[in-house]
Amino acid sequence: MPRGDFALMDEKDHEIFQCLRDDGRSPAARIGEEVGLSADAVRARIAKLTDDGVLRIIGVVDPSSLGYFCLGTLGLDYRGDVAELVETLRSLSFVTFVALTLGEHNVICEIAATDDAELLEHATSVVGRIPGVRGLEMWRLVDVLKWEGEGRPESTQAGARRSYDGLDGDLLRLLVRDPRMTFRTLAEQIGQPYSLVRRRAQTLFDDGVIRASAVLDRSSAHAGTMGMLGLTLTGPHIGAALEFAVAQPKISIAVRAVGRFSATLEVVCDTPAELVALADRVSELPAVSAVSTYLYARSPVLPMPWLFRRAPQG
């Protein structure tokens, strides 16, 4: 059985996960009261699930709250020691996801920037000059139609918008990585008074600027198959094709893009055959003139848990 297989989770593990999904900062004692375990037993189970790569507790933010207003996906043609490439990409703060893939490009990575000029600079002057990168292609995200699933929580309605100062940014960058970090530890790492940090961090959670949640992560747990479909769309039925994609439960992400692909889809399936079958169904849609399929072999840099806010309906 693969390390971290979801089947290793028993009923209590699933109950703990549901508590953390609702509130990733919920104390172990409170979770224990809800699931009928001691606080120590809850802590031990959470530690095992996270160590096994099954459970991720994440701080979910809108990328704009960190100053990122442009997101892009890079397809890389790389020749050389993959470990060296991964180490380099991990060191770049603007790289928010990396997957080693089987397909037209052998590496897919996501990058973030403040504007299009910086996005281009990141792609061509930094990533494009890494030794071993023989070719590079970029698709710039322009609209999010769906963003949920493994490692990427469901979109929510937009809350009140406000400006963020330097302290907010520092807090968010730490809380994205560890939303269960105590206010005392936050204050120590930032070097600001505890009372100020507690008040500001709590306001960020209360206002919905950041949400602590939990996800079951297939990419780490080696459960199922993940991949990306790049679509070229033409003709009068583009809207219908995108509606079909959004409605598919196996498609966790659907975005419009600028570049060779008109749209990209992230797919989570049980087997590679199921992914190929879904790609075939998509290719048969009237608006789809071409489909490129990328199978994720491994994700050495897990996806940043972005929260794309959808406007209230009605």
Side-chain angles (χ1 to χ4, degrees):
M1 185 174 292
R3 177 178 177 270
D5 194 311
F6 290 173
L8 295 180
M9 293 179 63
D10 63 17
E11 182 178 351
K12 291 297 183 184
D13 289 332
H14 282 284
E15 291 175 1
I16 291 171
F17 162 67
Q18 290 300 330
C19 291
L20 290 170
R21 187 173 188 181
D22 294 338
D23 180 5
R25 286 180 62 85
S26 185
R30 183 187 304 164
I31 296 173
E33 291 175 358
E34 294 189 28
V35 305
L37 294 172
S38 69
D40 286 343
V42 169
R43 292 189 192 96
R45 283 173 177 262
I46 292 173
K48 183 178 187 305
L49 291 171
T50 53
D51 289 346
D52 283 349
V54 176
L55 179 72
R56 292 177 69 198
I57 302 174
I58 53 179
V60 195
V61 298
D62 188 299
S64 64
S65 67
L66 295 178
Y68 296 137
F69 298 95
C70 296
L71 302 178
T73 300
L74 301 180
L76 307 181
D77 300 322
Y78 178 77
R79 300 293 181 272
D81 186 339
V82 173
E84 291 183 2
L85 174 65
V86 170
E87 190 66 24
T88 300
L89 293 175
R90 279 180 176 155
S91 71
L92 302 175
S93 61
F94 57 82
V95 173
T96 59
F97 172 63
V98 176
L100 309 181
T101 61
L102 306 176
E104 186 176 358
H105 301 292
N106 60 344
V107 179
I108 295 289
C109 69
E110 294 174 0
I111 63 175
T114 57
D115 56 30
D116 284 321
E118 185 177 73
L119 193 71
L120 181 63
E121 178 75 9
H122 289 339
T124 58
S125 298
V126 181
V127 177
R129 293 183 179 178
I130 295 173
V133 174
R134 304 291 183 83
L136 177 151
E137 182 177 14
M138 180 165 66
W139 316 284
R140 201 273 207 196
L141 183 152
V142 295
D143 189 25
V144 176
L145 308 176
K146 182 180 183 180
W147 193 279
E148 58 189 49
E150 279 33 91
R152 311 193 191 231
E154 296 178 1
S155 302
T156 64
Q157 290 188 347
R161 301 294 295 173
R162 65 179 183 82
S163 60
Y164 311 108
D165 63 15
L167 176 56
D168 290 325
D170 291 341
L171 290 169
L172 288 171
R173 285 178 174 82
L174 289 172
L175 289 168
V176 162
R177 290 176 170 80
D178 182 7
R180 292 179 69 84
M181 186 180 295
T182 66
F183 296 135
R184 185 75 62 188
T185 302
L186 280 171
E188 291 172 355
Q189 294 206 17
I190 293 177
Q192 294 289 337
Y194 169 78
S195 59
L196 173 63
V197 167
R198 179 184 178 89
R199 183 175 69 253
R200 295 287 286 272
Q202 190 61 59
T203 299
L204 291 172
F205 282 110
D206 290 344
D207 289 351
V209 177
I210 184 169
R211 179 166 64 87
S213 186
V215 292
L216 299 179
D217 200 325
R218 288 177 181 267
S219 60
S220 290
H222 311 294
T225 298
M226 297 184 68
M228 189 192 85
L229 305 181
L231 310 185
T232 302
L233 303 172
T234 59
H237 303 295
I238 292 176
L242 295 173
E243 288 177 4
F244 172 86
V246 169
Q248 302 308 303
K250 298 294 185 180
I251 294 177
S252 55
I253 293 175
V255 303
R256 292 302 307 268
V258 170
R260 178 161 61 98
F261 299 135
S262 311
T264 60
L265 312 175
E266 186 172 87
V267 182
V268 181
C269 295
D270 293 329
T271 66
E274 186 179 22
L275 186 150
V276 170
L278 180 57
D280 289 344
R281 290 179 64 194
V282 171
S283 69
E284 294 171 355
L285 298 173
V288 178
S289 60
V291 176
S292 293
T293 303
Y294 301 87
L295 179 68
Y296 294 171
R298 186 162 64 89
S299 301
V301 177
L302 296 175
M304 182 69 74
W306 297 134
L307 173 66
F308 289 98
R309 302 180 181 276
R310 311 303 295 174
Q313 300 298 311

